Amino acid sequence: RLRPNLVWIMPIVLIALIVLTFIYGNSKPFVRQYVIRHQDELDSFVAAAYANIPADNYERFIPLEYNNWSAVICTEEDNVVLFCVYEAGFASSSTYKGFAYSPNDVPVGFYGRIDGFERNDDGSWISYYQGEYNYCEKILDKWYYFKVVT
């Protein structure tokens, strides 16, 4: 008798887990805790990525992958490294969330841009640049949470 009930319970539990992962997995608290808990590993990843930049590099962006997330070194923006943990929407109307390594410990926006940020009363930064909304919040020294809406 229990077997028919399991047929219904297992898919419901699986769907619930997927929904919770989607909701929590791209939230600011998740990103913040991830960076805090994995800072040493992330620092090592960034150091290794920097060591692999060719001396004659001419690319603006060097694509990387970390933990199945897309990442990129923005060479024209002081080698900021962006880790994108959430992407939704289409090109002209998209949302991106993630975290960034900022070697100069300044807030960063989309594609590592560091210009145009204004500090909010709560210590976060915000920027509107060419129709893009950029929000940035410091997590640790040189590590920032970001959200971008294009």
Side-chain angles (χ1 to χ4, degrees):
R1 287 185 181 178
L2 293 178
R3 285 196 132 166
N5 288 339
L6 286 177
V7 171
W8 290 103
I9 292 173
M10 292 307 289
I12 292 171
V13 169
L14 183 60
I15 290 170
L17 287 173
I18 291 170
V19 168
L20 287 174
T21 300
F22 179 77
I23 291 171
Y24 183 70
N26 66 56
S27 70
K28 183 169 48 170
F30 168 80
V31 170
R32 183 175 194 77
Q33 285 303 310
Y34 187 88
V35 171
I36 290 169
R37 290 182 180 147
H38 296 89
Q39 182 184 10
D40 291 339
E41 179 184 326
L42 290 164
D43 286 342
S44 295
F45 177 83
V46 169
Y50 284 170
N52 288 324
I53 298 174
D56 61 346
N57 178 62
Y58 60 90
E59 298 290 333
R60 290 180 58 205
F61 305 107
I62 299 173
L64 306 167
E65 186 177 305
Y66 174 83
N67 198 29
N68 292 320
W69 296 322
S70 61
V72 63
I73 300 175
C74 305
T75 59
E76 290 186 354
E77 297 292 344
D78 299 324
N79 288 337
V80 165
V81 182
L82 298 176
F83 299 81
C84 191
V85 301
Y86 175 79
E87 300 175 36
F90 298 100
S92 63
S93 179
S94 299
T95 299
Y96 304 91
K97 296 178 187 177
F99 56 95
Y101 177 81
S102 175
N104 295 328
D105 205 14
V106 295
V108 297
F110 202 40
Y111 290 117
R113 275 197 304 277
I114 57 176
D115 299 327
F117 278 97
E118 294 181 15
R119 192 165 190 147
N120 294 323
D121 292 338
D122 66 359
S124 63
W125 290 270
I126 195 166
S127 168
Y128 293 97
Y129 180 78
Q130 295 182 350
E132 295 173 356
Y133 164 81
N134 291 273
Y135 173 85
C136 191
E137 186 175 304
K138 189 169 191 166
I139 300 172
L140 297 166
D141 287 347
K142 299 184 179 184
W143 290 100
Y144 291 82
Y145 166 82
F146 71 84
K147 177 180 179 183
V148 178
V149 179
T150 61

